[in-house]
Amino acid sequence: MSHKTSLACAGAFAAAATLAGISPAVCHTVVGNRVFPATLEIDDPGVNDELALPSFAYVANPDNSTQFDYRFEWQKTITADLSFFVGSALTHLVNAMKPDGTFGGVTGWQNVETQLKYVPYQNAEHEFIIAAALSAEWGHTGNASVGAEPFTALTAKGFVGKGFGDVEADWLKPIAVTGEVDYTWSTHPITVGFDPEEGITIDRSPTVLTYGATLQYSLLYMNSFVHEVPEFFRQLIPDIEIAVSTPVSNIGPSIPNMVPGTHETTGTWGPGLYYIGRLGPISFELGAVAAIPINHASGRHVGALAILDLFFDDMFPDSLGKPLFGPRQARGANVY
Amino acid sequence: MQRFMKILLAAALAAPLPAPPAFAHAFLDHAVPGVGTTVSGPVREIRISFTQGIVAAFSHIHVVSAAGAKIPVGKAATADPQTLVVRLGRALGPGSYSVTWQVVSVDTHTTQGTFTFTVS
């Protein structure tokens, strides 16, 4: 693969990855009286025991291919503030360029991702939490035909969440915001190869800064603490989400007419809706978010993300749903 | 896209709409008098239903008037595994009242909160 071609593919897949959200890791978090749902464009700021099976992404890639991702993610608490995560995705590309140069359908696994996440501070009374994580997307564990890289990519992540239940105005109390900043770099930023037709080739894996946020209005919170709402609506959390990626170094030269450009910022935003409920012994979250491209390089038209998340802490409180070591996190707010 | 929307719609319709929220924590699901509501007539008890089963022995409800006067309440009891009830020492007349609750769920998590209601 030539420099230009490989960069084009990398850019397309980077855009697709952006459309699928900053991080595939999802979980829900409880801090005091605040429930932060497992959001789709970015991860929420806490740790918990849960299984996302599946999360789904539909993306219209800028290279005219259409992408469907079916992802599984399992997060397990090691202690009340430390969790381990493993996940991957089965990708199906329609109208994608195959290895033989023809166009058609391609199916394969993305690289396996693992993550350690730690919550160093949370304040239940003020519904405030911060967290940090280090994740690795392991090279050679997925299929190159769907864009899985042969090299490992490491990501340092920072998270923050704040609920406004401690403000005076009642109409502000259901509001919460979350944010995430990621810094991703490859273990092999520059790869030199040889192509019989083009001679020496140089492939670059750019270092990428990714950032995103959600603005949530929790009808769940409103019903419990501000004003009762009708039964169905009390289990909903509508929000607006955005996630954006910018290459920051090891980018290489600009290539004319390449979409997305090597230096281009890509991202999506859109409204989302999360429903949290229980079906017999199964505790779950069902959510969906529209993924509206912020520019042409981010996609041809609106995509969609969706998730079914199972809450193991509620379903299996004495086995899979509790930390391996130590007690659960005491998250109750002291309102007295 | 059309196919995806059909699948999403089917999933949404298949969701158990009247099901309670699912957490390993007991959050307020509904209350009588309702959270933030205005009710007519005297109020003689406070009844709060939670999203999980609770332990009455470790749970309580306090009621305070808008002027800060503490309303005497009886011992908290469960009307059903998820509902906590207290009888008030006197019927509440017109005015605003603040209810503070603290419960321990059957899985030992403690949660607490405050809401207000008005008697017209």
Side-chain angles (χ1 to χ4, degrees):
Chain A
M1 189 182 287
S2 71
H3 184 194
K4 184 175 178 178
T5 307
S6 61
L7 270 175
C9 288
F13 287 121
T18 300
L19 284 166
I22 274 184
S23 163
V26 294
C27 69
H28 74 286
T29 297
V30 180
V31 184
N33 291 328
R34 177 68 51 177
V35 177
F36 295 102
T39 49
L40 283 155
E41 288 274 18
I42 66 171
D43 192 4
D44 77 84
V47 299
N48 218 319
D49 287 286
E50 56 203 331
L51 176 70
L53 189 68
S55 65
F56 171 81
Y58 161 76
V59 181
N61 288 326
D63 65 353
N64 287 328
S65 67
T66 301
Q67 180 170 343
F68 298 88
D69 278 354
Y70 306 89
R71 175 170 289 276
F72 79 90
E73 302 155 0
W74 178 45
Q75 185 180 197
K76 179 81 198 82
T77 53
I78 299 169
T79 69
D81 294 318
L82 179 67
S83 74
F84 173 77
F85 159 91
V86 61
S88 186
L90 182 66
T91 293
H92 177 63
L93 291 168
V94 178
N95 193 32
M97 189 168 74
K98 296 179 177 181
D100 61 7
T102 62
F103 286 85
V106 180
T107 301
W109 286 92
Q110 296 292 342
N111 284 337
V112 172
E113 184 186 3
T114 59
Q115 174 179 282
L116 273 177
K117 189 176 185 183
Y118 180 63
V119 176
Y121 178 76
Q122 60 181 303
N123 185 312
E125 187 176 355
H126 295 289
E127 302 168 2
F128 178 76
I129 185 170
I130 55 174
L134 180 64
S135 77
E137 196 178 304
W138 299 99
H140 279 304
T141 57
N143 300 113
S145 58
V146 292
E149 293 285 349
F151 306 119
T152 297
L154 300 174
T155 303
K157 304 179 179 181
F159 307 90
V160 64
K162 173 76 177 90
F164 289 89
D166 56 352
V167 300
E168 286 295 319
D170 280 349
W171 68 275
L172 286 175
K173 291 178 186 290
I175 293 176
V177 293
T178 64
E180 177 178 347
V181 177
D182 292 0
Y183 187 77
T184 303
W185 68 98
S186 173
T187 54
H188 290 72
I190 297 176
T191 306
V192 179
F194 180 78
D195 185 286
E197 294 179 0
E198 301 184 27
I200 294 175
T201 62
I202 299 175
D203 284 346
R204 295 175 184 270
S205 298
T207 299
V208 178
L209 180 68
T210 309
Y211 40 97
T214 74
L215 174 64
Q216 306 168 10
Y217 197 82
S218 176
L219 299 182
L220 201 70
Y221 193 97
M222 173 180 266
N223 177 69
S224 290
F225 304 105
V226 182
H227 196 290
E228 68 178 6
V229 297
E231 187 166 347
F232 173 72
F233 295 97
R234 71 182 57 153
Q235 293 168 234
L236 296 178
I237 303 177
D239 77 345
I240 295 175
E241 307 183 17
I242 185 169
V244 174
S245 286
T246 302
V248 290
S249 67
N250 193 38
I251 303 167
S254 292
I255 299 173
N257 302 322
M258 197 178 93
V259 177
T262 50
H263 295 72
E264 203 151 4
T265 294
T266 57
T268 59
W269 72 279
L273 187 64
Y274 297 92
Y275 173 92
I276 294 174
R278 185 198 306 266
L279 180 61
I282 301 173
S283 301
F284 67 92
E285 172 192 307
L286 192 63
V289 174
I292 304 168
I294 62 169
N295 54 21
H296 180 63
S298 303
R300 303 194 312 280
H301 57 73
V302 178
L305 313 174
I307 185 173
L308 173 62
D309 196 31
L310 305 176
F311 297 166
F312 280 6
D313 59 326
D314 192 43
M315 295 165 62
F316 311 109
D318 299 319
S319 54
L320 279 177
K322 69 175 185 178
L324 294 175
F325 305 102
R328 293 186 179 89
Q329 179 63 252
R331 295 187 171 100
N334 181 11
V335 297
Y336 296 107
Chain B
M1 183 63 180
Q2 207 169 25
R3 187 179 173 199
F4 166 70
M5 291 308 293
K6 283 179 182 173
I7 293 170
L8 195 63
L9 183 62
L13 292 175
L17 304 188
F23 300 109
H25 301 72
F27 285 106
L28 186 153
D29 186 53
H30 63 275
V32 181
V35 175
T37 60
T38 298
V39 297
S40 58
V43 173
R44 293 189 168 83
E45 70 174 22
I46 306 295
R47 180 178 291 255
I48 305 177
S49 294
F50 294 92
T51 56
Q52 280 225 325
I54 52 171
V55 182
F58 303 111
S59 305
H60 56 257
I61 295 174
H62 297 302
V63 184
V64 178
S65 71
K70 191 172 179 180
I71 309 297
V73 297
K75 190 175 181 182
T78 50
D80 60 58
Q82 295 183 211
T83 302
L84 192 67
V85 180
V86 292
R87 297 286 299 176
L88 302 175
R90 60 176 172 83
L92 301 182
S96 291
Y97 298 89
S98 175
V99 178
T100 301
W101 53 267
Q102 180 177 35
V103 297
V104 175
S105 61
V106 290
D107 61 7
T108 74
H109 282 107
T110 299
T111 51
Q112 48 228 317
T114 298
F115 68 89
T116 60
F117 68 90
T118 301
V119 179
S120 62

